[in-house]
Amino acid sequence: MTNRNQHQWLIYGAYGHTGRLVAEEALRRGHRPVLVGRSGPKLQAMADRMGLEFSPLSLDHPGALTAALRSTHLIFNAAGPFTETGPKIIEACLETGTPYADISGEFHHLRAVEALDARARTAHIPILTGAGFGVTFGDCLARHVVDRLPDATHLRVSVAASNALTTSAVRRTILEVLAKGGYAVEGGQWKHRPLAHQHWMVADGDSPLSFAAAPMGELAAARRSTNVANIVVGRPMPAKSAKRLRLMSPLIQGALGVGPLRRALGRDKGSSSAPVPAPAPEGGWRSRIWAEAWNAGGNRVMARLETGEGYAATASAAITNVEALFSRPLVGVLTPAQAFGAAHLLTIPQVEVTDLDPKSGLPLNAGSARDRPAPAPA
């Protein structure tokens, strides 16, 4: 890392919606990242507004990418789909010895990056993928409940993000993931399963919520950070919808496996690629994640994380992760929980973690021992 300024780092995909939020959060916290991406005019307009440096950079020109990386301390990738952008940037990082982080929540990207651990250690760099909302929060919350129940045999993570909009990159990513079907960890091994292969209810006081299994990045992260033998991760879905999706899973996979059709479905409608806004919910944006763990003896623990709008939470988590990477020497491929532990959640602004009674979903009484597992219902 000769001639590398530890305060200089790059945001790739800076003029995308999430990249812009990450850059704005970085600026609020006193950072001055260099904005990079394909479009020079878009970068210049953003850099002029924010008073930051910028540099056009195409991933199709490896020489320019490696040259840019040799003079920086870290590159943060905010441009999805990450199965497309991640491999090119990570390969250049391995060549130049440059730390890498991204906000990917893509299951298949996280799994692919796992295989690079030995190369990252040889290069003496950290590769932190999943530094955004779902993976950072879900992974660390999973680590939290497993720390409370170290002999857990089962882990379930339920993610309910509340997002103000949907971007074209997210739409393309969802289609890419659905084309490959569902997954779970069973007996410590990856198992290919139909989409929505499990359905469950999460107790949350008087309002139980319905979830179905989904191949999310949190699943890949939790397998590495917790080593629990049986893990499933899901998103909100009514039971009837989950059943239909499960039955149609082979047809969906077959249709989306046709590249031209998948790309046509993910293409922006009309001439605009602007994010599609969602109406604000009554009471404001509220993203929540639940993690439940249980062991062979029937003991259960449960916790809930609450924060605000998903994209804003991603930006906040991203900069917290970057600052944590700057503060300690880490090497290898890491999940947020592996790198920083469950307590990392408490360093992220506007995040509340509450231990719950697994039976009722209500907060544990103030006088209860927070580290004592609750007995499972008979």
Side-chain angles (χ1 to χ4, degrees):
M1 299 184 183
T2 306
N3 299 323
R4 180 165 290 151
N5 181 347
Q6 67 174 0
H7 300 297
Q8 180 173 305
W9 56 287
L10 311 179
I11 301 177
Y12 181 79
Y15 52 77
H17 178 72
T18 310
R20 177 178 57 78
L21 292 177
V22 171
E24 290 172 351
E25 181 68 11
L27 201 58
R28 275 194 292 270
R29 297 205 205 176
H31 297 270
R32 300 194 63 78
V34 177
L35 311 179
V36 297
R38 289 180 178 273
S39 172
K42 290 181 180 180
L43 287 170
Q44 182 166 13
M46 182 177 175
D48 289 347
R49 178 173 59 83
M50 300 182 72
L52 295 173
E53 296 181 23
F54 74 97
S55 179
L57 183 64
S58 171
L59 300 186
D60 296 328
H61 298 92
L65 177 58
T66 55
L69 293 181
R70 291 189 192 282
S71 61
T72 192
H73 186 257
L74 176 145
I75 184 167
F76 192 93
N77 183 9
F82 293 91
T83 52
E84 298 176 8
T85 62
K88 294 179 181 179
I89 299 177
I90 292 173
E91 191 62 37
C93 286
L94 291 168
E95 179 182 341
T96 59
T98 306
Y100 170 92
D102 67 36
I103 53 170
S104 175
E106 298 172 23
F107 172 74
H108 298 287
H109 174 64
L110 267 72
R111 284 197 64 190
V113 172
E114 286 182 23
L116 302 176
D117 183 64
R119 293 184 63 195
R121 292 180 182 279
T122 298
H124 301 291
I125 63 168
I127 295 177
L128 181 74
T129 185
F133 165 72
V135 174
T136 294
F137 295 165
D139 184 39
C140 290
L141 191 67
R143 182 70 257 177
H144 171 71
V145 295
V146 173
D147 285 348
R148 292 179 58 211
L149 191 65
D151 63 344
T153 56
H154 290 74
L155 172 66
R156 187 163 64 197
V157 181
S158 309
V159 183
S162 184
N163 295 329
L165 49 82
T166 300
T167 67
S168 57
V170 168
R171 292 195 298 272
R172 292 195 301 272
T173 296
I174 290 172
L175 293 172
E176 293 279 351
V177 172
L178 291 178
K180 297 179 181 178
Y183 284 83
V185 178
E186 299 174 6
Q189 304 297 317
W190 286 117
K191 298 295 182 181
H192 196 192
R193 297 288 182 247
L195 298 167
H197 70 281
Q198 287 189 39
H199 171 265
W200 63 90
M201 303 297 293
V202 171
D204 190 54
D206 296 329
S207 304
L209 301 172
S210 178
F211 286 82
M216 301 165 67
E218 292 87 336
L219 180 63
R223 181 177 184 264
R224 285 177 58 85
S225 65
T226 69
N227 292 315
V228 173
N230 302 281
I231 309 174
V232 65
V233 173
R235 62 181 301 277
M237 188 177 298
K240 290 183 178 179
S241 297
K243 183 178 180 179
R244 287 195 295 268
L245 181 58
R246 183 165 58 250
L247 293 174
M248 295 177 62
S249 182
L251 297 176
I252 293 172
Q253 288 179 246
L256 294 180
V258 179
L261 174 59
R262 185 176 66 251
R263 288 188 289 273
L265 291 172
R267 193 171 296 128
D268 298 318
K269 304 297 187 292
S271 59
S272 173
S273 61
V276 178
E282 185 176 350
W285 302 104
R286 183 187 181 205
S287 296
R288 293 174 291 172
I289 301 176
W290 293 261
E292 307 167 73
W294 59 96
N295 63 15
N299 291 320
R300 286 180 177 258
V301 294
M302 183 178 183
R304 180 185 63 218
L305 178 147
E306 294 184 271
T307 187
E309 195 273 333
Y311 284 95
T314 284
S316 184
I319 302 307
T320 301
N321 280 312
V322 167
E323 291 173 344
L325 284 173
F326 286 162
S327 72
R328 65 203 75 186
L330 296 170
V331 296
V333 173
L334 300 161
T335 74
Q338 281 183 309
F340 313 123
H344 184 55
L345 289 174
L346 303 181
T347 70
I348 303 173
Q350 299 183 338
V351 171
E352 180 180 348
V353 176
T354 305
D355 290 329
L356 304 176
D357 180 321
K359 184 176 181 179
S360 67
L362 296 173
L364 294 178
N365 294 331
S368 299
R370 293 172 65 86
D371 293 328
R372 183 173 64 243

